[in-house]
Amino acid sequence: MYKTLSSAVNWPQGLPEPGTTTVVCGDIEADGSVVVPHFIQGALQETSPGGATTTVVVLVSLTQTMSHYMHVMRKMGVNLARHPGRFQFVDALTPAPVGAELAGSGMVATATRPHFSVPDRADWSGFFGWLADAQPPGCTVVVDGLCSLLDQGLGCDFAVGFVDTCRRIVEAKAARGAGAARLVATLFLDDFSEALARSLVRRSHYVLSFEALASGSSTEVAGQLTVVPGHLFCHIQKKEREAEEKQPAAEFKPALLHYRVSDTTVEFFSPGQSRMVL
């Protein structure tokens, strides 16, 4: 996916390891959701050791319709309509009665209809059952706009419980060893989501934090990305050190990168290494 970013966080395949949880944070000046299309693209291109493409992407959106993601992915050269069965869209934005009426009337094209809808944002039990039972072990779950749960008055504890349940399902799938299940969630940082962000750091393996530069953005540098290990990753590293393995996995240390956003991609590079400087 991104060679510089993948190298900085030790992702040989360009994606987080199976069974991990990655939290992506951003704010009004630095939108972290810019990496969502790239997680989708990377998962759709992921192959098994035998060379087969087996990963299914489940995109849970609380902020955008399916048409939005199809348009963005098409600009990146990916036609989601050509991945039937491997791209599953969960609509948690459109009220179910409205969505059902439009789908029934034929006003919503088949290609843009959600594969699963959440009519009541306070009740995700149906979704959890669908995710656990109907989706394969190789399942990359991307939750875009987690803070919308707070905007709907559901509270921090509810949002944390939602992530915990998704994480347990993903970890259970990864434990079967038959696929690369992982969880990615985007979070908008402000005064209202600060407590949620702190809680998710303790429940994640990777935390990607997008921030604006103090000097402002330019055509060459949009902002900076800080990548730190979450508490779960730190716990894994501690167990590896205590076990004194002969060949322990390479430790991941915090990384700081600058980035530039274009219409079709996001470029990451070390500070001072933009094309303007070179």
Side-chain angles (χ1 to χ4, degrees), residues 16-81:
E17 298 93 330
T20 59
T21 297
T22 301
V23 175
V24 182
C25 302
D27 56 29
I28 194 170
E29 295 182 335
D31 186 5
S33 65
V34 295
V35 295
V36 168
H38 300 276
F39 278 112
I40 296 174
Q41 182 183 35
L44 289 176
Q45 294 176 344
E46 189 174 27
T47 59
S48 64
T53 54
T54 56
T55 303
V56 170
V57 179
V58 176
L59 173 60
V60 184
S61 178
L62 296 103
T63 58
Q64 300 288 350
T65 63
M66 186 172 177
S67 297
H68 166 80
Y69 296 101
M70 293 188 72
H71 175 69
V72 173
M73 296 304 297
R74 193 176 294 113
K75 292 172 66 175
M76 296 176 59
V78 179
N79 187 347
L80 294 177

Side-chain angles (χ1 to χ4, degrees), residues 93-121:
L93 174 67
T94 306
V98 176
E101 291 174 2
L102 291 177
S105 65
M107 295 177 64
V108 177
T110 303
T112 59
R113 292 178 189 174
H115 300 87
F116 193 91
S117 295
V118 183
D120 182 4
R121 258 70 84 189

Side-chain angles (χ1 to χ4, degrees), residues 15-278:
L15 289 168
E17 298 93 330
T20 59
T21 297
T22 301
V23 175
V24 182
C25 302
D27 56 29
I28 194 170
E29 295 182 335
D31 186 5
S33 65
V34 295
V35 295
V36 168
H38 300 276
F39 278 112
I40 296 174
Q41 182 183 35
L44 289 176
Q45 294 176 344
E46 189 174 27
T47 59
S48 64
T53 54
T54 56
T55 303
V56 170
V57 179
V58 176
L59 173 60
V60 184
S61 178
L62 296 103
T63 58
Q64 300 288 350
T65 63
M66 186 172 177
S67 297
H68 166 80
Y69 296 101
M70 293 188 72
H71 175 69
V72 173
M73 296 304 297
R74 193 176 294 113
K75 292 172 66 175
M76 296 176 59
V78 179
N79 187 347
L80 294 177
R82 295 182 179 178
H83 297 275
R86 296 195 56 227
F87 177 76
Q88 303 287 308
F89 181 75
V90 178
D91 183 3
L93 174 67
T94 306
V98 176
E101 291 174 2
L102 291 177
S105 65
M107 295 177 64
V108 177
T110 303
T112 59
R113 292 178 189 174
H115 300 87
F116 193 91
S117 295
V118 183
D120 182 4
R121 258 70 84 189
D123 182 11
W124 290 79
S125 57
F127 165 74
F128 293 140
W130 174 81
L131 179 62
D133 301 330
Q135 299 307 311
C139 178
T140 294
V141 182
V142 181
V143 181
D144 191 16
L146 187 62
C147 279
S148 293
L149 295 176
L150 303 183
D151 297 337
Q152 296 161 8
L154 296 176
C156 178
D157 291 342
F158 184 91
V160 171
F162 170 81
V163 173
D164 277 343
T165 304
C166 290
R167 181 169 59 86
R168 285 194 293 268
I169 293 174
V170 165
E171 290 177 351
K173 290 180 178 293
R176 300 172 191 171
R182 58 180 66 85
L183 173 64
V184 179
T186 68
L187 180 69
F188 183 85
L189 289 178
D190 57 17
D191 293 341
F192 300 100
S193 61
E194 183 178 351
L196 175 59
R198 288 199 301 267
S199 297
L200 294 183
V201 169
R202 301 184 63 85
R203 292 166 168 80
S204 64
H205 298 82
Y206 299 98
V207 180
L208 280 64
S209 180
F210 286 81
E211 303 171 284
L213 294 175
S215 57
S217 62
S218 67
T219 56
E220 291 296 324
V221 183
Q224 68 181 20
L225 168 64
T226 304
V227 189
V228 298
H231 283 211
L232 294 181
F233 194 98
C234 293
H235 180 66
I236 293 174
Q237 289 187 339
K238 181 180 179 182
K239 291 179 63 177
E240 289 179 346
R241 287 194 296 266
E242 291 176 349
E244 294 183 353
E245 297 178 353
K246 294 182 179 179
Q247 294 181 341
E251 291 193 7
F252 160 53
K253 298 180 180 179
L256 175 65
L257 299 172
H258 285 176
Y259 69 95
R260 173 180 177 271
V261 181
S262 66
D263 287 341
T264 58
T265 188
V266 181
E267 300 176 29
F268 292 95
F269 46 88
S270 299
Q273 297 299 310
S274 70
R275 285 177 295 181
M276 178 179 292
V277 175
L278 295 177

